[in-house]
Amino acid sequence: MIAAASVVVISLAALVTLPILLNQRMEGIRDELEQHADPARAALNEISFRMSEQIASLTRAAASGAPQSTERYRRAIEPQRAAMRILQAHRGRLGSEYQMRLEELGNRLELWHLSVQRSVDSQRLAFESNYPDVIEAIRRLDESITRVQAGRRQQVERLTQIQVWLTVGLVLMAMGAALVVIWIIARLRQLASMLEEESDARQGALEREQDLVRMRDEILGVVSHDLRSPLTTIALSAELLPDASPEERAEHVETILTTTGRMERLIRDLLDVTKIDHGALQIRRDLVKPAEVVKEVVAGHEPIADSKEIQLETSIDETLPEIMGDPDRLAQALGNLIGNAFKFTPSGGMVRVSLVRRDRIIRFEVCDNGPGIAPADLPHLFDPFWQAKKTAHLGAGLGLKIARAIVEAHGGSIEVDNLVGGGALFAFELPAAPTGAPDDGLDDSRPVETIATQG
């Protein structure tokens, strides 16, 4: 009897004391997340937002040909620095990796601002080479914060498991104490249920947060890939402006404005692009003349071809029927294929863009006379973020994935093959619009399911 009473007393004391201590520890971890990790993430998001404002300001300044017109860029510097001070304030509580990534971000931000200032001082905006470095540093710091949060949540889960096992042990110790033990068991079951519900809720929150982080990483990848080429076009056209004749200057300004408009469209559509893997890519449904799409895209790539000393040729059948689709998205897909061909074509080489008809099928072709594609690389060409070794660091590895998703969203197909004698051929086929298709001027935009976007 005395032994049973002792077991009950010990069990009751443990049931009261140990869960309190465990709960206090878990609350301490949660408070640390709320007081350090969450503010740090909010400050990092502020820096990312300000970077978006700055790149938009600098892009407009480049388009206008007035590098001094960067007021929005300058206004964003102080909030950006204030956010950096907040990040510095939490460096002692978020681990050594956080401190290292924070120092890396600070250094790259300084290099970014110095690069922009030098560009403004020299009347030539050439800031694109530093911008991806800052974006990459932001991504790495965010990953370190995520790992800190995940580590803290794992601690909470381990404490929860300890609490559950402790509860089971205490129940076994108290089983001989009749009604008191029965009451204890009922109470512990209720507590275990609450802990399980809380664990499920936190697991769901963690999965949602991981989805958001993954989506943002995809956005950053698309930004670094799809903005580099038009920025290069703008920079090259801007360099030619001072020595150009009035007629040539008008052409260069038109190229800059056209390319800037394409960039703005890409920025607005970034969130849609990240939905490719989720089968929810948004496209318009308009009557499109294929020849006009090809001419527009080729014209936008001619400055790049000239700078690389690559001959850019076209072969267009002007009598082709119209197709139903989104002209901007189709231009994006064709531009990605041309840009990919530029990567593999040496100086003095040739890239040919052709537009042919096969019955009711319109075929877009991009071929080059480069070294071709290694057989081992063919199965991976459409994998996201994958790049051949010879073109590593020349893009984010998203261009071909995006091109295929756009083509398949239009009901078409894309193919790639090596040419006899050297070089590679990328082609996609789209069905011609039905005869008498209406063109009422209305935007019939709607989500279109994309399939096989993983390569």
Side-chain angles (χ1 to χ4, degrees):
M1 190 68 177
I2 295 176
S6 299
V7 171
V8 172
V9 171
I10 294 173
S11 300
L12 289 174
L15 280 172
V16 173
T17 304
L18 294 179
I20 290 176
L21 294 176
L22 290 173
N23 283 331
Q24 289 177 347
R25 175 57 181 156
M26 286 189 288
E27 287 299 326
I29 295 174
R30 295 188 188 106
D31 291 342
E32 186 174 358
L33 288 173
E34 293 177 357
Q35 296 174 11
H36 298 285
D38 293 346
R41 174 161 303 224
L44 187 61
N45 289 338
E46 173 70 11
I47 291 177
S48 181
F49 171 74
R50 297 301 176 181
M51 285 297 298
S52 299
E53 286 189 331
Q54 290 173 336
I55 196 66
S57 173
L58 295 172
T59 300
R60 285 195 295 272
S64 65
Q68 300 85 353
S69 180
T70 56
E71 287 301 320
R72 189 175 179 186
Y73 162 79
R74 295 188 178 91
R75 287 198 303 270
I77 293 177
E78 185 53 38
Q80 198 175 64
R81 289 175 176 169
M84 281 296 297
R85 289 193 291 271
I86 294 175
L87 292 173
Q88 292 284 353
H90 299 285
R91 64 184 303 164
R93 301 302 297 270
L94 296 178
S96 59
E97 182 185 3
Y98 173 87
Q99 297 180 22
M100 180 180 66
R101 296 305 182 191
L102 179 60
E103 183 177 355
E104 178 186 17
L105 175 58
N107 292 336
R108 291 190 175 183
L109 272 176
E110 288 300 323
L111 290 175
W112 156 255
H113 290 307
L114 288 174
S115 174
V116 173
Q117 186 59 48
R118 285 195 299 267
S119 299
V120 173
D121 293 342
S122 63
Q123 302 294 306
R124 292 172 57 189
L125 289 172
F127 46 81
E128 67 276 14
S129 61
N130 299 93
Y131 179 70
D133 293 340
V134 179
I135 295 301
E136 178 64 14
I138 291 175
R139 183 187 69 79
R140 291 180 178 176
L141 181 55
D142 185 79
E143 287 181 348
S144 72
I145 296 174
T146 299
R147 280 191 282 273
V148 170
Q149 291 177 316
R152 298 294 189 273
R153 292 190 175 94
Q154 288 177 357
Q155 292 178 9
V156 172
E157 291 177 0
R158 285 195 295 269
L159 291 173
T160 300
Q161 292 175 356
I162 293 173
Q163 197 170 36
V164 171
W165 283 108
L166 178 62
T167 299
V168 174
L170 292 173
V171 168
L172 293 176
M173 290 173 60
M175 286 189 62
L179 296 177
V180 176
V181 174
I182 294 175
W183 177 84
I184 292 174
I185 292 175
R187 180 71 182 90
L188 291 177
R189 285 178 177 174
Q190 182 181 5
L191 179 60
S193 177
M194 293 173 59
L195 291 174
E196 185 178 355
E197 291 177 359
E198 182 178 353
S199 177
D200 291 342
R202 291 189 177 278
Q203 181 64 29
L206 178 60
E207 291 175 356
R208 289 191 296 272
E209 185 175 343
Q210 290 173 341
D211 288 341
L212 292 175
V213 171
R214 184 165 52 253
M215 181 176 293
R216 199 203 50 211
D217 287 345
E218 292 176 357
I219 292 175
L220 294 178
V222 174
V223 168
S224 65
H225 177 274
D226 282 350
L227 291 187
R228 185 175 290 112
S229 178
L231 280 173
T232 302
T233 301
I234 291 173
L236 290 173
S237 298
E239 288 180 0
L240 297 174
L241 281 175
D243 300 326
S245 66
E247 295 78 9
E248 293 173 336
R249 189 171 302 167
E251 293 179 0
H252 295 322
V253 170
E254 180 65 23
T255 299
I256 291 174
L257 293 176
T258 301
T259 308
T260 302
R262 182 75 65 193
M263 290 172 61
E264 291 177 347
R265 172 65 189 273
L266 289 175
I267 292 173
R268 289 195 305 268
D269 290 346
L270 280 178
L271 288 177
D272 287 338
V273 174
T274 62
K275 296 178 181 177
I276 287 174
D277 290 333
H278 304 287
L281 180 65
Q282 296 286 334
I283 64 170
R284 299 202 315 272
R285 292 293 188 184
D286 296 323
L287 283 174
V288 180
K289 294 182 178 180
E292 293 183 358
V293 173
V294 173
K295 291 177 181 178
E296 178 184 351
V297 175
V298 170
H301 282 76
E302 284 178 347
I304 302 176
D306 293 339
S307 68
K308 294 178 176 290
E309 298 183 356
I310 294 175
Q311 184 178 358
L312 182 58
E313 299 181 353
T314 58
S315 175
I316 303 174
D317 183 352
E318 299 283 355
T319 64
L320 291 177
E322 295 177 321
I323 57 178
M324 290 295 296
D326 187 329
D328 291 324
R329 289 296 193 189
L330 293 175
Q332 181 183 2
L334 182 60
N336 285 353
L337 297 185
I338 296 175
N340 185 73
F342 282 170
K343 294 180 186 178
F344 290 90
T345 304
S347 178
M350 181 272 295
V351 173
R352 174 182 292 273
V353 182
S354 304
L355 188 61
V356 297
R357 176 178 181 176
R358 294 183 176 179
D359 296 328
R360 295 296 297 171
I361 298 298
I362 309 302
R363 182 178 174 87
F364 297 74
E365 295 182 348
V366 178
C367 64
D368 61 71
N369 61 353
I373 304 170
D377 292 341
L378 284 172
H380 304 287
L381 289 179
F382 296 99
D383 292 347
F385 305 108
W386 183 89
Q387 300 181 67
K389 292 182 179 179
K390 65 181 69 177
T391 60
H393 309 300
L394 295 182
L398 291 172
L400 295 181
K401 169 187 170 68
I402 295 171
R404 185 173 71 171
I406 292 173
V407 171
E408 292 180 348
H410 283 78
S413 61
I414 190 168
E415 63 184 58
V416 58
D417 201 359
N418 284 314
L419 297 174
V420 177
L425 168 68
F426 285 82
F428 63 88
E429 298 180 342
L430 299 175
T435 304
D439 184 10
D440 54 11
L442 298 179
D443 185 359
D444 186 25
S445 300
R446 61 181 184 272
V448 176
E449 182 178 2
T450 60
I451 59 175
T453 56
Q454 294 298 328

